[in-house]
C-alpha cells in the first residue's frame, strides 16, 4: 500500500482526537467556564471511578477469552519495557539538565508513561474502519483491536497507579519535608525528627571503627525497606481500573460466567450492556479533560526549555526507535505471533504522548502542576505530527 494512503489512514483518528481536545480547551476558557477547575475535578472522578472501570471490564469480558489470553501475554511485558526504557532515559535527562529535585518524579514519569488508554481506543478502531486499512476485514479488526486497546489501557492503568503514582508521591513528600526542615533553625531539629533519607545519608563515623560491619549493613537495608514501604501507597494497587481488569478477565476466561453475561441470549446480558453503555462515555470525557487541562500550559511556564525538548525527543524519537528493536526481537524469537494488528499495537505503545493521568496525580499531591501542564501542552501539540508519522511508518512496515 502506498505511503501516502497510509498517511491519510493514520491522520484521520489523530484529527478526531485533536478536534475533541480543542472542544475541551474551549469549554475551559474563562468566558465559557463549562470545564473549570471544579467541573474538571468532578468529571475526573467520574472517569476514574465509573467510566474507565466500566469500559475496561466490559471490553475485556467481551473480547478476552481463555484461548486468546495466552497469546496476549507479551503485551504486559512490552508495556513494562516502555516504562523501564522511558524511566532510564528520563533519569539521564534530569541528571543532564539538573532540574530541582521536586520535579524529578514528574519528568521521569512523563518519559516513562504513555497514554495507553483513550488514544489507542480512538486510533485503532478508526484505522480498522478506513477502507485502505492494511489489517483486513474491518469487523474482525475492530473486535481484536478493541481487545488489544482495552488490555493495554488496563495494564497501563495498573503500572501508572503503582509505579508513577508512588514516584511522584515520593518526590512531592521529599520536597515538602525538605522545605519544612529548611524553615527551622538547625538547633531546633532533633535527630529523631529528621527526614529518613537525611538520617541514612549521615556519615558513617560511628561505624568506621566497629567490627560489626555485617550487622550494620543489615540494619541499613532494613531502614531502606521500611522507608520505601512507608512511601508506597499499596491501596492504589487496587484502584478501580485494576479491580475492573480482574473482573473483566475472570468473566472472559470463565466459560460459565461468559455464557451468563456475554451475548444477546445470555440471561444476564443487561449487566454487560449497562457497563458498555457507561464505558462509551470514557473516551469523549477523557479527551475533553485533556483539552481542558492543556489550557494551564498556555498560562503558566515553570520548566526550562531544554527539559521540555528533552522529553519530546525521548517520547517521539528514542522510545519509538527502541520499540522497533524490541518488537522485531520479539517477532524473531516467536513471542508475538503473526498477527500484524497485534504487532502494530505493540509498536504504537512506544510512540504515544505522555499519560494525562500524570496531571491528575500532580494535582493530587500539589507538586509540579503548572510544570506538568507546560509539558503536556507541547507533548500533545507535537503528537499530531509525530504520532501520525509513526503510525504511518508502522503500518507501512507491517503491511
Amino acid at each position: 500500500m502506498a505511503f501516502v494512503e497510509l498517511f491519510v489512514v493514520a491522520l484521520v483518528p489523530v484529527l478526531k482526537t485533536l478536534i475533541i481536545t480543542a472542544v475541551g480547551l474551549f469549554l475551559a476558557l474563562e468566558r465559557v467556564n463549562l470545564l473549570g477547575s471544579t467541573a474538571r475535578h468532578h468529571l475526573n472522578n467520574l472517569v476514574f471511578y465509573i467510566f474507565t472501570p466500566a469500559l475496561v471490564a466490559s471490553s475485556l469480558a467481551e473480547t478476552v477469552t481463555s484461548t486468546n489470553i495466552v497469546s496476549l501475554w507479551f503485551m504486559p511485558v512490552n508495556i513494562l519495557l516502555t516504562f523501564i526504557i522511558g524511566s532510564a532515559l528520563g533519569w539521564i535527562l534530569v541528571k543532564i539538565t539538573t532540574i530541582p529535585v521536586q520535579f524529578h518524579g514528574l519528568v521521569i514519569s512523563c518519559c516513562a508513561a504513555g497514554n495507553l488508554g483513550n488514544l489507542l481506543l480512538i486510533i485503532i478502531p478508526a484505522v480498522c474502519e478506513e477502507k485502505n486499512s492494511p489489517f483486513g476485514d474491518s469487523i474482525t479488526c475492530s473486535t481484536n483491536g478493541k481487545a488489544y486497546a482495552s488490555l493495554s489501557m488496563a495494564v497501563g492503568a495498573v503500572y501508572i497507579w503503582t509505579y508513577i503514582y508512588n514516584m511522584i508521591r515520593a518526590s512531592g513528600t521529599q520536597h515538602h519535608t525538605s522545605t519544612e526542615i529548611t524553615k527551622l533553625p538547625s538547633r531546633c531539629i532533633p535527630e529523631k525528627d529528621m527526614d529518613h533519607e537525611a538520617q541514612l545519608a549521615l556519615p558513617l563515623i560511628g561505624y568506621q571503627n566497629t567490627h560489626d560491619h555485617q550487622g550494620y549493613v543489615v540494619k541499613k537495608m532494613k531502614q531502606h525497606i521500611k522507608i520505601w514501604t512507608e512511601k508506597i501507597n499499596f491501596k492504589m494497587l487496587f484502584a478501580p481500573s485494576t479491580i475492573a481488569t480482574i473482573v473483566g478477565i475472570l468473566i472472559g476466561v470463565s466459560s460459565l460466567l461468559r455464557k451468563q453475561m456475554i451475548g444477546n441470549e445470555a440471561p444476564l446480558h443487561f449487566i454487560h450492556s449497562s457497563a458498555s453503555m457507561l464505558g462509551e462515555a470514557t473516551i469523549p470525557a477523557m479527551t475533553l479533560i485533556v483539552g481542558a487541562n492543556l489550557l494551564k500550559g498556555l498560562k503558566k511556564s515553570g520548566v526550562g526549555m531544554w527539559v521540555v525538548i528533552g522529553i519530546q525527543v525521548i517520547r517521539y524519537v528514542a522510545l519509538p526507535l527502541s520499540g522497533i528493536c524490541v518488537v522485531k526481537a520479539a517477532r524473531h524469537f516467536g513471542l508475538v505471533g503473526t498477527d500484524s494488528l497485534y504487532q502494530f499495537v505493540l509498536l504504537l505503545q512506544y510512540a504515544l504522548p505522555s499519560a494525562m493521568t500524570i496531571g491528575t496525580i500532580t494535582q493530587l499531591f500539589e507538586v509540579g502542576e503548572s510544570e506538568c501542564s507546560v509539558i503536556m501542552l507541547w507533548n500533545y501539540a507535537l503528537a499530531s505530527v509525530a504520532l501520525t508519522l509513526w503510525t504511518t511508518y508502522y503500518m507501512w512496515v507491517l503491511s
Side-chain angles (χ1 to χ4, degrees), residues 85-260:
I85 297 172
S87 296
L89 295 173
W91 180 82
I92 295 173
L93 178 62
V94 299
K95 293 301 180 182
I96 294 174
T97 55
T98 62
I99 61 173
V101 177
Q102 66 265 30
F103 300 136
H104 284 191
L106 170 63
V107 173
I108 295 174
S109 297
C110 289
C111 296
N115 192 333
L116 299 165
N118 57 326
L119 279 183
L120 286 180
L121 286 168
I122 294 173
I123 292 172
I124 295 174
V127 167
C128 290
E129 291 170 5
E130 289 295 314
K131 62 180 180 180
N132 293 325
S133 173
F135 302 119
D137 176 58
S138 61
I139 297 177
T140 304
C141 176
S142 296
T143 302
N144 293 335
K146 189 178 179 182
Y148 301 153
S150 299
L151 183 60
S152 174
M153 178 173 61
V155 175
V158 172
Y159 290 156
I160 287 173
W161 287 104
T162 51
Y163 173 61
I164 299 299
Y165 174 89
N166 287 294
M167 180 186 296
I168 296 177
R169 177 173 178 262
S171 295
T173 302
Q174 182 178 358
H175 168 61
H176 292 317
T177 303
S178 300
T179 303
E180 292 172 1
I181 291 176
T182 54
K183 290 180 181 179
L184 295 172
S186 58
R187 64 178 181 272
C188 297
I189 306 174
E191 183 176 340
K192 65 179 181 179
D193 293 330
M194 291 176 63
D195 182 70
H196 289 295
E197 272 135 2
Q199 292 185 40
L200 293 179
L202 290 174
L204 309 183
I205 298 173
Y207 295 93
Q208 288 178 351
N209 298 321
T210 181
H211 297 288
D212 193 18
H213 179 69
Q214 184 177 1
Y216 167 66
V217 173
V218 173
K219 182 180 179 180
K220 294 288 287 184
M221 290 179 62
K222 289 181 178 179
Q223 285 180 319
H224 278 291
I225 294 172
K226 180 181 179 181
I227 290 169
W228 285 106
T229 302
E230 290 174 353
K231 283 185 175 181
I232 295 176
N233 186 351
F234 287 99
K235 291 181 180 179
M236 296 314 298
L237 290 172
F238 299 97
S241 55
T242 307
I243 298 173
T245 301
I246 298 172
V247 172
I249 292 177
L250 286 177
I251 294 174
V253 301
S254 173
S255 58
L256 178 61
L257 293 175
R258 190 177 184 85
K259 290 178 181 179
Q260 297 297 317

Side-chain angles (χ1 to χ4, degrees), residues 16 24 52 81 116-117 199 205 213 240 267 285 287 337 341 350 357 393 397:
K16 291 179 180 179
T52 301
L81 289 174
L116 299 165
Q199 292 185 40
I205 298 173
H213 179 69
T287 312
L341 178 62
Y350 288 89
T357 312
Y393 176 73
V397 170

